[in-house]
Amino acid sequence: MPTYTAPTRDILFVLNDVLGVAQSDVPGYAELEPDFTAAILDEAGKIAREVLAPLNAAGDREGCRLENGVVHTPSGFKDAFEAMKAGGWNGLDLPEEYGGQNLPYVMGTAVGEIFVSANMAFNMYQGLTHGAISAILAHGTEAQKQTWLPKMVSLDWTGTMNLTEPHCGTDLGLLRTKAEPQADGSYKITGQKIFISAGDHDMAGNVIHLVLAKAPGGGEGTRGISLFIVPKIMVKADGSLGARNAVSVGKIEEKMGIHGNATCVMNFDGATGYLLGDLHKGMRNMFTMMNEARIGVGLQGYAVAEAAYQNAVAYAKDRLQGRAVTGAENPAGPADPLIVHPDIRRNLMDQKSFVEGARAFTLWGASLIDRAHRSGDAAAEGLISLLTPVIKGFLTDKGFEATVNAQQIFGGHGYVEEQGMSQFARDARITMIYEGANGVQALDLVGRKLAADGGKHVMAFFEMVKAFVKENDGDAALKAEFLEPLKAASKDLQAAGMYFMQNGAKTPNAALAGSYDFMHLFGHVCLGLMWARMARASRAALDAGTSDAAFHETKLATGRYYMARQLPITATHLARIQSGAETVMALGPEAF
Amino acid sequence: MPTYTAPTRDILFVLNDVLGVAQSDVPGYAELEPDFTAAILDEAGKIAREVLAPLNAAGDREGCRLENGVVHTPSGFKDAFEAMKAGGWNGLDLPEEYGGQNLPYVMGTAVGEIFVSANMAFNMYQGLTHGAISAILAHGTEAQKQTWLPKMVSLDWTGTMNLTEPHCGTDLGLLRTKAEPQADGSYKITGQKIFISAGDHDMAGNVIHLVLAKAPGGGEGTRGISLFIVPKIMVKADGSLGARNAVSVGKIEEKMGIHGNATCVMNFDGATGYLLGDLHKGMRNMFTMMNEARIGVGLQGYAVAEAAYQNAVAYAKDRLQGRAVTGAENPAGPADPLIVHPDIRRNLMDQKSFVEGARAFTLWGASLIDRAHRSGDAAAEGLISLLTPVIKGFLTDKGFEATVNAQQIFGGHGYVEEQGMSQFARDARITMIYEGANGVQALDLVGRKLAADGGKHVMAFFEMVKAFVKENDGDAALKAEFLEPLKAASKDLQAAGMYFMQNGAKTPNAALAGSYDFMHLFGHVCLGLMWARMARASRAALDAGTSDAAFHETKLATGRYYMARQLPITATHLARIQSGAETVMALGPEAF
């Protein structure tokens, strides 16, 4: 069975050495001193290892079941959920006035990685709640916040997002769920929603659904959509629970993975709902939730890969098979461990250099969100808005790839369910799909984010790369191994952007046919930037005579691998983009 | 539920227009006239569509079960197996004297694609039998052939390959299964084998296991290994069945996919076995089987992708979501079909250009086997021996990728089991692992095949590419769109080979660290060559005034896509290879 140990040393390196959180001027960051953050991560790691990880495989095997309208989660989930509640983990980065601890989002993200690695399906019950809380915080009235938030922050109640219907996923303008206004100001919600993660379960007293529906008078398409709060159980004026609302679970979907999470078909049969935010502004309000949720999914991409990687390393050190081509390294044993073989190394280094780069990228992204929200920094807001589809799309594609590579280390033992590697691959697969399939992320990136505000955010990104390169130009080793490759990759990205600018206006397909490659190109440049920043941090630590030289030498070696072996693919993405839309769109639908 | 229609037009194009089978001088090829081969493929397509494909999802859901020592296959499998037997499909390319039809291997391969696409798990019962027959044909005595082959060719009995043990997969030198010689010339086989595909089932009267075991006196490691025929049920001198042999099923493995195939733990408890081929030459004899089996697995890689692709196309045409950026294409409907979107096209074209290139590559490989075996052509033998790890490793990696991409077209509907796309991905995953994990294929390619016979086979491959380019140099369109990109890619492959030659001798790790990239680089060059050959064939057909111009225009457009969008990645693989082993091997095992 797989095991998991939180990589606290690596997370702290990003927080302290790379992002320098405690030295940041963002309100609330000053208290993120190394001892304090280390204590939090250690505690999270303990729960992850002792409570969450041991339930991961069991949750996959047992799955959720619907009996007489009640959703039962796998054995042990309820106790684990109580432990999460008792630890107050959900409120870590939520406002104190609703019971949270008000730490920065970057800390919530760091802790989130640990919980997701340990048990992704389980953590989704909390993750969805967190997203719903964000939406109510952003758009709720004071009364709504008082009614819903304290119980949701404490996890007495959990939350969901209800968007998709059988005939509409990405294209929400097609949705049919109706909201009829009532005399008392509430609405009656009627319709069917599908693929609702954590849609119902037996671990909380109530489930608070956020539901997109059409109220009269908004017009066609997405313009008519509003967002509603629809509780599973009605809440009385005094805060106590009342009667069941007209919300029920149609069925639990049978999925490829994340079996521990109840993905439900939800039926709303004239259920009572309360308008959240402005009428007919539901799409905008939902997007508040979705950007944060998308970063959370990008995190899942690399967090599952981290767990899979740890187990692949253990197996590669343990499994004796074949001899090193350069001479036996375990001469007393019947064979050498797998890890002596160059192609096994190549595979493990691909995983390791991706996961560590992705972690830095995601935590940097989270720190931009803090800067945007806590300091009201519009530049940070614009930049993270640009990077969000990259974090979501690139990190989940590469995260799945890394997880499949980890499974590959096990050979046939990776294909049988017993070892748990299949589950990692099956679980990771959803991250490329939900919260906007990755093709939709690429479309968002190229079709909207790139040109937003006159393209100034992508320009700022290029300036940032240029400034970093210039600033460190005097360090010859850093220059040759990190800055030059980063510059080349960034140039490819600029050339791709230029191609879109020159061709996209008159031929929109020329830009959109290259959108997926652009998302990957951008992702590689971001990871290249992260590795350059990590390399600089490690070199600084080594220069300062760190007592942990081995850690920093390993960082540098891992970064060199990424720059030499991963980053060169930007040239291929650029070539694909520059080949334009012609070969992509040449065939009529009938030719497929 | 997914559907499947055999792509007979595409297969016939490769056989007739590209390979020109009926014009070949290989014995037996003259009868492969278009009408004859079309009739066979049509018949295979009919069984595939009507009998095999409808059982695919059901077989996945139901799986196999072991009850009181008996393995039960999913409902319907037994009847389908009877239909396969009645059609004589297994004997298609097997010798007439044992009940086969003696058609070339290329026809068996073409038909095999159709059956695998329709139901991979089901087809493995027959596929393993075919492999076992090949081994007995190559190494059996005349008496053994008479005893075992007729019933195996007819599928009254099926076959298996027993190599892997719990502690040894790739490194067979570690195996522990013992063979003790008996006075009557037979052996007593004792040991446990795992991951035995089609290990037991209820569809045939007997199962003939080919088992690797160590007989006394052969020495250490792989030298002591011999190959044995071990029947599930003893066969009497008159050919009738006798008592049960001491062979039993320990359990059926729970796997990620191919649930319709019983992957068994097999226990041999002093079971009676008969030496097949020379004593202590088991490894060599097993490899006879394995090369053919590896091409068969490469075929599975693209065959599953073909089935997934067909369903992705259907969904992309049917599912209405969003509007084309260039203006509504289905203005009367609520939205346009997915297929209007450039990124959906990009995805479908990636799949289509891969599958069609892979089909040509595999059928070309099969024709090389025919030339080697039927014409005794050593050059063909050497070339297919070189290409086998590329067919296996590259086509299964890319086949899985294509299948995952097909699943992606479905969005959330691709993740639920109901639509069947998850099954394609889960099934395809095994092809990268069994018959030698793809890292082992890369090792075989770079560590053995490349330098075999003084490197003359890879030289012959380069000469073939060069000759093709030269021969068609006068065709300006072909030159710009196909020959130039092929030349560039082939140059990358040569440069990689040169790097290995210059560095591999003194630093073996420098070659092995690049082995995986080399396998992919080689695969892309092969598909580039196939597309150039297909383009030439289609241009010839168009020049000759074919009545099927649309088909050939589509081929050319698909080929252009491959050359423009896929082939450029050879440069990245070369860059990775030329970065050497240093970054790959920099870290000690403790640093992971």
Side-chain angles (χ1 to χ4, degrees):
Chain A
M1 210 174 70
T3 59
Y4 170 71
T5 305
T8 46
R9 180 74 188 86
D10 288 272
I11 298 174
L12 289 170
F13 168 70
V14 176
L15 292 176
N16 301 329
D17 299 35
V18 181
L19 300 177
V21 287
Q23 291 78 50
S24 163
D25 60 357
V26 173
Y29 268 49
E31 62 175 314
L32 299 182
E33 288 289 347
D35 285 354
F36 177 62
T37 53
I40 293 172
L41 296 179
D42 282 344
E43 197 54 39
K46 193 161 168 267
I47 294 188
R49 190 177 65 250
E50 295 174 3
V51 179
L52 305 186
L55 291 175
N56 196 37
D60 178 61
R61 244 192 326 272
E62 191 179 331
C64 299
R65 62 184 206 285
L66 178 63
E67 276 175 17
N68 305 319
V70 179
V71 173
H72 298 271
T73 52
S75 311
F77 270 41
K78 205 165 162 39
D79 288 345
F81 204 73
E82 289 301 319
M84 294 299 281
K85 278 168 72 168
W89 289 104
N90 190 49
L92 194 76
D93 55 1
L94 293 171
E96 279 176 312
E97 55 186 313
Y98 305 111
Q101 295 172 60
N102 204 32
L103 287 179
Y105 178 65
V106 75
M107 274 313 290
T109 305
V111 166
E113 176 196 317
I114 294 173
F115 292 158
V116 172
S117 289
N119 195 328
M120 173 170 153
F122 176 86
N123 196 63
M124 287 172 66
Y125 294 99
Q126 176 176 332
L128 270 296
T129 306
H130 209 279
I133 291 168
S134 296
I136 296 173
L137 273 173
H139 306 293
T141 62
E142 195 45 46
Q144 285 176 327
K145 290 178 190 177
Q146 292 301 340
T147 302
W148 308 109
L149 292 183
K151 296 274 190 185
M152 292 175 76
V153 170
S154 67
L155 288 181
D156 286 319
W157 302 345
T158 64
T160 72
M161 289 167 66
N162 284 250
L163 288 75
T164 304
E165 299 182 4
H167 62 291
C168 81
T170 301
D171 189 354
L172 289 167
L174 302 174
L175 74 78
R176 292 181 192 148
T177 297
K178 287 209 159 12
E180 298 161 88
Q182 305 298 303
D184 66 354
S186 72
Y187 289 77
K188 289 282 174 215
I189 311 291
T190 304
Q192 186 178 66
K193 297 286 182 177
I194 63 170
F195 303 157
I196 308 308
S197 297
D200 199 12
H201 57 89
D202 53 1
M203 304 188 295
N206 203 356
V207 179
I208 314 306
H209 301 285
L210 298 196
V211 183
L212 286 186
K214 284 191 174 172
E220 288 302 299
T222 56
R223 277 172 302 158
I225 295 173
S226 303
L227 184 57
F228 298 89
I229 299 173
V230 185
K232 170 183 169 181
I233 301 170
M234 300 301 291
V235 175
K236 296 188 211 164
D238 65 357
S240 65
L241 294 180
R244 274 295 296 255
N245 199 356
V247 181
S248 61
V249 178
K251 70 166 178 169
I252 299 177
E253 301 282 4
E254 280 190 43
K255 311 182 299 290
M256 186 175 180
I258 50 166
H259 295 150
N261 198 276
T263 308
C264 298
V265 172
M266 300 301 305
N267 293 322
F268 298 89
D269 301 304
T272 299
Y274 310 102
L275 182 67
L276 178 61
D278 295 337
L279 189 67
H280 303 141
K281 299 291 182 210
M283 285 300 285
R284 199 191 59 193
N285 298 349
M286 205 69 185
F287 269 107
T288 316
M289 247 164 101
M290 270 162 62
N291 276 332
E292 200 181 295
R294 284 174 174 181
I295 293 173
V297 175
L299 177 147
Q300 290 180 328
Y302 82 81
V304 175
E306 162 73 31
Y309 164 74
Q310 288 188 13
N311 288 280
V313 166
Y315 192 79
K317 290 180 181 179
D318 184 60
R319 174 84 169 174
L320 304 180
Q321 207 80 178
R323 288 292 184 192
V325 68
T326 46
E329 298 202 6
N330 176 34
D336 288 341
L338 285 180
I339 202 166
V340 305
H341 302 300
D343 188 62
I344 296 286
R345 281 299 171 97
R346 188 262 325 154
N347 182 337
L348 291 175
M349 289 301 292
D350 276 346
Q351 296 172 52
K352 180 175 172 64
S353 63
F354 161 71
V355 168
E356 294 178 19
R359 173 181 297 123
F361 186 23
T362 304
L363 291 176
W364 175 49
S367 77
L368 288 172
I369 288 191
D370 280 327
R371 183 170 289 282
H373 294 180
R374 291 176 172 241
S375 306
D377 184 327
E381 176 80 49
L383 186 56
I384 188 58
S385 177
L386 172 72
L387 296 177
T388 293
V390 182
I391 292 175
K392 198 284 181 181
F394 180 69
L395 297 191
T396 59
D397 277 359
K398 300 299 280 188
F400 176 67
E401 185 185 303
T403 305
V404 167
N405 283 344
Q407 183 188 20
Q408 188 73 11
I409 297 280
F410 283 68
H413 298 274
Y415 197 67
V416 295
E417 294 293 348
E418 201 177 337
Q419 292 278 359
M421 300 306 286
S422 163
Q423 183 192 352
F424 288 132
R426 290 184 290 96
D427 285 359
R429 182 66 185 89
I430 188 58
T431 64
M432 297 155 72
I433 296 173
Y434 63 16
E435 289 305 319
N438 286 356
V440 175
Q441 303 298 326
L443 180 64
D444 179 46
L445 175 64
V446 169
R448 296 181 9 173
K449 301 296 179 63
L450 206 52
D453 300 324
K456 80 173 177 191
H457 306 301
V458 73
M459 244 102 82
F461 177 82
F462 288 128
E463 283 309 314
M464 179 190 307
V465 173
K466 205 188 282 182
F468 181 85
V469 168
K470 200 171 164 193
E471 201 180 306
N472 296 284
D473 197 55
D475 184 331
L478 200 68
K479 187 172 175 179
E481 293 168 348
F482 291 90
L483 303 182
E484 293 295 342
L486 173 61
K487 244 166 78 177
S490 178
K491 224 167 130 180
D492 287 342
L493 184 63
Q494 280 177 279
M498 190 64 72
Y499 178 85
F500 291 160
M501 270 177 56
Q502 289 169 343
N503 298 280
K506 62 175 194 291
T507 317
N509 282 345
L512 297 184
S515 58
Y516 213 88
D517 282 281
F518 189 81
M519 179 173 77
H520 274 248
L521 207 177
F522 210 152
H524 277 291
V525 174
C526 289
L527 259 58
L529 175 62
M530 291 302 114
W531 272 116
R533 289 177 67 173
M534 288 193 276
R536 183 179 63 175
S538 277
R539 286 181 62 81
L542 289 165
D543 287 347
T546 172
S547 62
D548 199 1
F551 175 86
H552 292 288
E553 293 291 2
T554 296
K555 271 298 163 214
L556 283 163
T558 309
R560 282 184 205 110
Y561 181 91
Y562 191 86
M563 304 313 270
R565 289 243 164 193
Q566 289 294 332
L567 209 51
I569 203 171
T570 58
T572 297
H573 288 303
L574 177 60
R576 286 172 62 104
I577 289 165
Q578 290 178 333
S579 77
E582 208 185 324
T583 62
V584 178
M585 305 301 288
L587 297 177
E590 72 291 348
F592 285 87
Chain B
M1 211 175 69
T3 59
Y4 171 71
T5 306
T8 47
R9 181 73 189 87
D10 287 273
I11 297 173
L12 289 170
F13 168 70
V14 176
L15 292 176
N16 302 329
D17 300 33
V18 181
L19 300 177
V21 287
Q23 291 77 49
S24 163
D25 60 355
V26 172
Y29 268 49
E31 63 175 313
L32 299 182
E33 288 290 346
D35 285 353
F36 178 62
T37 52
I40 294 172
L41 295 179
D42 282 344
E43 197 53 39
K46 192 161 170 267
I47 294 189
R49 190 178 65 248
E50 295 174 3
V51 179
L52 306 186
L55 292 176
N56 195 37
D60 178 60
R61 245 192 323 273
E62 190 179 333
C64 299
R65 62 185 205 286
L66 178 65
E67 276 176 18
N68 304 319
V70 178
V71 173
H72 299 271
T73 53
S75 311
F77 270 41
K78 205 165 160 38
D79 288 346
F81 203 72
E82 289 301 319
M84 294 298 281
K85 277 167 72 168
W89 289 104
N90 190 48
L92 194 76
D93 56 1
L94 293 171
E96 279 177 314
E97 56 186 309
Y98 305 112
Q101 295 172 58
N102 204 32
L103 287 179
Y105 178 65
V106 76
M107 274 313 291
T109 305
V111 166
E113 177 197 316
I114 294 173
F115 292 158
V116 172
S117 289
N119 195 327
M120 173 170 153
F122 176 86
N123 195 63
M124 288 172 66
Y125 293 99
Q126 175 176 333
L128 270 296
T129 306
H130 208 280
I133 290 169
S134 296
I136 296 174
L137 272 173
H139 305 293
T141 63
E142 194 46 46
Q144 286 176 327
K145 292 178 188 175
Q146 291 301 340
T147 302
W148 307 109
L149 292 183
K151 296 272 191 187
M152 292 175 77
V153 170
S154 67
L155 288 180
D156 286 319
W157 302 346
T158 63
T160 72
M161 289 168 66
N162 284 249
L163 288 76
T164 305
E165 299 181 6
H167 62 291
C168 82
T170 301
D171 189 354
L172 288 168
L174 302 174
L175 74 77
R176 292 181 192 147
T177 297
K178 285 209 161 11
E180 297 162 88
Q182 305 298 303
D184 66 354
S186 72
Y187 288 77
K188 290 281 175 215
I189 311 291
T190 304
Q192 187 178 65
K193 297 287 182 177
I194 63 170
F195 303 157
I196 307 309
S197 297
D200 199 11
H201 57 89
D202 53 2
M203 303 188 294
N206 203 355
V207 179
I208 313 306
H209 301 285
L210 298 196
V211 182
L212 286 186
K214 284 190 175 172
E220 287 302 298
T222 55
R223 278 171 303 158
I225 294 174
S226 303
L227 184 56
F228 298 89
I229 299 173
V230 186
K232 170 183 169 181
I233 300 171
M234 300 301 291
V235 175
K236 297 188 211 164
D238 66 356
S240 65
L241 295 180
R244 275 294 294 255
N245 200 356
V247 181
S248 60
V249 178
K251 71 165 178 170
I252 299 177
E253 301 281 4
E254 280 190 43
K255 311 181 299 291
M256 186 175 181
I258 51 167
H259 295 150
N261 198 276
T263 308
C264 298
V265 172
M266 299 301 305
N267 294 321
F268 298 90
D269 301 304
T272 298
Y274 310 102
L275 183 67
L276 177 62
D278 295 337
L279 189 68
H280 303 140
K281 300 291 182 212
M283 285 301 284
R284 199 191 59 191
N285 298 349
M286 204 69 184
F287 269 107
T288 315
M289 247 164 101
M290 270 161 63
N291 276 332
E292 199 181 298
R294 284 174 174 181
I295 292 173
V297 174
L299 178 146
Q300 291 179 327
Y302 83 81
V304 175
E306 162 74 31
Y309 164 75
Q310 289 188 13
N311 287 281
V313 166
Y315 192 79
K317 289 180 182 179
D318 183 59
R319 175 85 170 173
L320 304 180
Q321 207 79 179
R323 289 291 183 193
V325 69
T326 47
E329 298 201 6
N330 176 35
D336 289 341
L338 285 180
I339 201 166
V340 306
H341 302 300
D343 188 62
I344 296 287
R345 281 300 171 96
R346 187 262 326 154
N347 182 336
L348 291 176
M349 289 301 292
D350 275 346
Q351 296 172 52
K352 180 175 171 65
S353 64
F354 162 70
V355 168
E356 294 179 18
R359 173 180 298 122
F361 186 23
T362 304
L363 291 177
W364 175 49
S367 77
L368 288 172
I369 288 191
D370 280 328
R371 183 170 289 281
H373 293 180
R374 292 177 172 243
S375 306
D377 184 327
E381 177 80 49
L383 185 56
I384 189 58
S385 177
L386 172 71
L387 296 177
T388 293
V390 182
I391 292 175
K392 197 284 180 180
F394 179 69
L395 297 191
T396 59
D397 276 0
K398 301 299 279 188
F400 176 67
E401 186 185 303
T403 305
V404 167
N405 284 345
Q407 182 188 21
Q408 188 74 11
I409 298 279
F410 283 69
H413 297 273
Y415 197 67
V416 295
E417 294 293 349
E418 202 177 335
Q419 293 277 0
M421 299 307 286
S422 163
Q423 183 191 352
F424 289 132
R426 290 184 289 97
D427 285 359
R429 182 66 184 89
I430 189 58
T431 64
M432 297 155 72
I433 297 172
Y434 64 16
E435 291 303 320
N438 286 356
V440 175
Q441 303 297 328
L443 180 64
D444 179 45
L445 175 64
V446 169
R448 294 182 9 174
K449 301 294 178 64
L450 206 52
D453 301 323
K456 80 173 178 192
H457 306 300
V458 73
M459 244 101 83
F461 177 82
F462 288 129
E463 283 308 314
M464 179 190 306
V465 173
K466 206 188 281 180
F468 181 85
V469 168
K470 201 171 161 192
E471 200 181 306
N472 296 285
D473 198 55
D475 184 332
L478 200 68
K479 188 171 176 179
E481 293 169 348
F482 291 89
L483 303 182
E484 293 295 341
L486 172 61
K487 244 165 80 177
S490 178
K491 225 167 131 180
D492 286 343
L493 184 63
Q494 280 177 280
M498 191 63 73
Y499 178 85
F500 290 160
M501 270 179 54
Q502 288 168 343
N503 299 279
K506 62 176 193 293
T507 318
N509 282 344
L512 297 184
S515 58
Y516 212 88
D517 283 281
F518 189 81
M519 180 173 76
H520 273 250
L521 208 177
F522 209 151
H524 277 291
V525 173
C526 289
L527 259 59
L529 175 62
M530 292 301 113
W531 271 116
R533 288 177 68 173
M534 289 193 276
R536 183 179 63 175
S538 278
R539 286 181 62 81
L542 289 165
D543 288 346
T546 170
S547 61
D548 199 1
F551 175 86
H552 293 287
E553 293 291 2
T554 297
K555 271 298 162 213
L556 284 164
T558 309
R560 282 183 206 112
Y561 181 91
Y562 192 86
M563 304 313 270
R565 289 243 164 192
Q566 288 295 332
L567 209 50
I569 203 172
T570 58
T572 297
H573 288 302
L574 177 60
R576 287 172 63 104
I577 289 165
Q578 289 178 333
S579 77
E582 208 184 323
T583 63
V584 178
M585 305 301 288
L587 296 177
E590 73 291 349
F592 284 87

